[in-house]
Amino acid sequence: MVVALISAYSHTSLVEEGLTYFKEIDKEYGFIPLDENYGFVVDLSAQAGSLDEVKKFIAAMPKKPGPSVLGALLGAYKIHGEVEEAEKMAKILLKLESKEDGFQKLLLSLYLKTGMLDKREEVISKMRERGISKRQSLSWLDTSKRNYIFILGDTGRVHDNGFLVC
């Protein structure tokens, strides 16, 4: 629920409200934030703030930032067009999560955004060498009668496992 609320604040650009919620939730509910929760706050701050604010938030965290926070920081670098910083962060994330494609997608997107197509092709080539492919976007819905999965770009057929693919 916390992730959903912080994400909603992020997508509606209600940065101050989201940060206030995040700071007060542990007082009211005894909530201890996970790395993913901190990552969403970094994303929230990056959407509407400066990189300095994002870095201050990360430095003030009570624990060492994990892959979710570092991935969100990579996203912040992408938002602000900081290619060199993004490349450094991608190298760190590669060591932590060598088979994960999320941060590499951010780097690909940054290279596309900045017109660095040769570097983009280089990352794609390295992903292929490592056996990493970009995962399709998907979401799912569990009901009491059936499970549904929605995969971007598919045509809408029911699979043997009961999943509806759209």
Side-chain angles (χ1 to χ4, degrees):
M1 183 164 137
V2 173
V3 170
L5 283 171
I6 294 171
S7 180
Y9 284 123
S10 176
H11 292 292
T12 57
S13 299
L14 298 171
V15 176
E16 289 304 317
E17 293 86 343
L19 292 174
T20 300
Y21 169 76
F22 184 77
K23 289 174 185 174
E24 293 180 2
I25 192 170
D26 65 329
K27 294 175 191 170
E28 192 165 332
Y29 300 103
F31 173 74
I32 299 171
L34 301 172
D35 192 54
E36 291 80 11
N37 304 125
Y38 284 109
F40 272 99
V41 173
V42 168
D43 180 58
L44 172 68
S45 299
Q47 295 289 338
S50 72
L51 281 174
D52 290 336
E53 293 300 317
V54 170
K55 290 177 183 178
K56 285 178 191 174
F57 175 80
I58 292 172
M61 285 175 47
K63 59 184 181 176
K64 183 179 175 182
S68 292
V69 173
L70 299 178
L73 181 57
L74 173 59
Y77 290 141
K78 177 194 170 252
I79 289 168
H80 294 277
E82 296 288 334
V83 176
E84 284 185 34
E85 293 297 321
E87 290 174 331
K88 290 176 191 174
M89 188 56 56
K91 286 179 184 175
I92 292 169
L93 283 163
L94 183 62
K95 289 177 185 172
L96 293 175
E97 297 189 337
S98 63
K99 292 291 184 185
E100 180 60 41
D101 73 336
F103 72 89
Q104 294 178 56
K105 285 183 191 178
L106 282 171
L107 195 58
L108 291 173
S109 179
L110 174 61
Y111 288 149
L112 184 62
K113 175 182 171 183
T114 57
M116 301 174 76
L117 302 181
D118 54 333
K119 288 211 172 207
R120 187 174 188 277
E121 289 303 317
E122 187 178 312
V123 171
I124 291 171
S125 176
K126 286 180 182 177
M127 287 174 70
R128 284 187 188 127
E129 286 173 15
R130 292 185 197 108
I132 301 170
S133 62
K134 293 181 3 178
R135 290 177 291 181
Q136 286 185 302
S137 297
L138 63 89
S139 62
W140 62 89
L141 173 65
D142 271 332
T143 68
S144 59
K145 295 182 182 184
R146 184 169 237 160
N147 298 318
Y148 300 91
I149 187 167
F150 305 94
I151 300 175
L152 182 67
D154 212 329
T155 57
R157 61 188 182 275
V158 177
H159 290 267
D160 294 336
N161 61 5
F163 287 110
L164 172 68
V165 181
C166 296

